[in-house]
Amino acid sequence: MHFFIAEMAPNQIYNLLIGLVAPRPIALVTSMNEEGRVNAAPFSAYNYLCTDPPVVGLGVMNRPGGKFVPKDTARNIRRTREFVVNVVTEDIAHPMNICATDFPEEVDELEMAGLETAPSKVVKVPRIKQAHAALECEEFTSMEIGNSRIILGKVVAMYVEDKFVDPAGPYILGEELHAIGRMNGLGSYVKTQDAFFTMPRIPYSEWQKGRRE
Ligand SMILES: Cc1cc2nc3c(=O)[nH]c(=O)nc-3n(C[C@H](O)[C@H](O)[C@H](O)COP(=O)(O)O)c2cc1C
């Protein structure tokens, strides 16, 4: 099948794209409004984009409907210029999903999800205590693109629970961390527990010797 974007409705494009760009890491983003009220919401239009300097990107759609109404996360980041990406692992999958519920503004998503906060080291926005790793970010820039906002955040500090760090690199012990990924908009996710395989890069010298796999 071929699909031509010019002939498609936004929700159809969404359905296909989020099923094809998968699995995606999930950022459970904490942000704060001007009054210091903490907000939490998950975003899978998320990745790191470069490491020198360390920059992560988030794609936040506006709220559904014709009017330009940003989600609280995008609004908060524009106003207070900071956020924290809490890494989503299997053990916090359900609380993460609760944070995506469209609660009325006065309801605290973190409380509903049974999550607590812990102070960050550099930014004012707290991280989520139950998350095993978190990236403290300062807004680098936000771009309005159609009905979405692309937010670039400069990572200024990282928190990782000691047991998930191999200090030699330092490396992340990904096989132990059990991060999950989002597969589509139908509520499907993947686990990474017992799912790792190793495939070393092939140096060209090895390739020339005939090593192909
Ligand atoms: C796993 C998951 C990933 C999501 N990814 C995105 C995303 O990348 N962009 C987006 O705009 N909404 C995404 N959502 C929906 C938002 O989390 C949801 O709209 C949330 O209520 C926004 O909250 P806020 O207004 O507090 O920022 C996702 C939801 C889930 C469950």
Side-chain angles (χ1 to χ4, degrees):
M1 260 186 223
H2 289 270
F3 297 93
F4 297 97
I5 300 301
E7 297 162 9
M8 293 170 73
N11 70 314
Q12 295 176 314
I13 300 169
Y14 170 87
N15 292 343
L16 294 184
L17 211 47
I18 70 164
L20 289 174
V21 185
R24 287 182 306 285
I26 305 167
L28 180 52
V29 175
T30 39
S31 62
M32 231 157 73
N33 72 6
E34 302 92 314
E35 283 82 48
R37 195 180 131 82
V38 179
N39 184 84
F43 295 91
S44 66
Y46 159 66
N47 219 310
Y48 92 88
L49 300 175
C50 51
T51 60
D52 185 15
V55 172
V56 294
L58 290 177
V60 183
M61 285 190 271
N62 288 328
R63 290 196 183 284
K67 293 195 201 116
F68 179 93
V69 183
K71 292 185 182 177
D72 294 340
T73 301
R75 184 193 161 281
N76 285 350
I77 294 173
R78 200 71 273 263
R79 303 221 172 154
T80 58
R81 310 212 59 192
E82 292 181 342
F83 60 99
V84 175
V85 169
N86 299 275
V87 174
V88 178
T89 47
E90 233 179 276
D91 52 346
I92 58 165
H94 289 290
M96 172 283 292
N97 196 34
I98 293 170
C99 291
T101 301
D102 208 5
F103 291 113
E105 206 191 326
E106 63 279 8
V107 176
D108 182 344
E109 294 110 352
L110 287 167
E111 195 188 325
M112 294 297 109
L115 294 170
E116 294 155 82
T117 59
S120 291
K121 290 289 181 196
V122 177
V123 302
K124 286 194 207 79
V125 178
R127 63 181 170 85
I128 290 173
K129 202 172 175 181
Q130 288 89 340
H132 304 291
L135 310 178
E136 296 184 29
C137 302
E138 288 173 355
E139 186 203 40
F140 187 69
T141 189
S142 288
M143 287 170 274
E144 306 287 344
I145 298 194
N147 201 27
S148 299
R149 204 173 283 189
I150 291 180
I151 298 163
L152 300 186
K154 197 166 154 190
V155 181
V156 292
M158 298 188 223
Y159 162 76
V160 189
E161 217 174 294
D162 292 354
K163 63 179 178 184
F164 298 114
V165 182
D166 170 358
Y171 299 108
I172 301 299
L173 299 172
E175 278 140 307
E176 316 292 326
L177 189 61
H178 306 161
I180 58 164
R182 194 185 194 202
M183 294 306 292
N184 53 36
L186 300 169
S188 301
Y189 295 86
V190 277
K191 296 177 180 181
T192 56
Q193 192 169 350
D194 303 323
F196 276 55
F197 69 101
T198 307
M199 184 166 56
R201 293 275 294 272
I202 308 168
Y204 185 53
S205 54
E206 292 289 319
W207 179 266
Q208 283 171 311
K209 282 185 217 156
R211 213 193 101 200
R212 292 285 187 269
E213 73 281 331

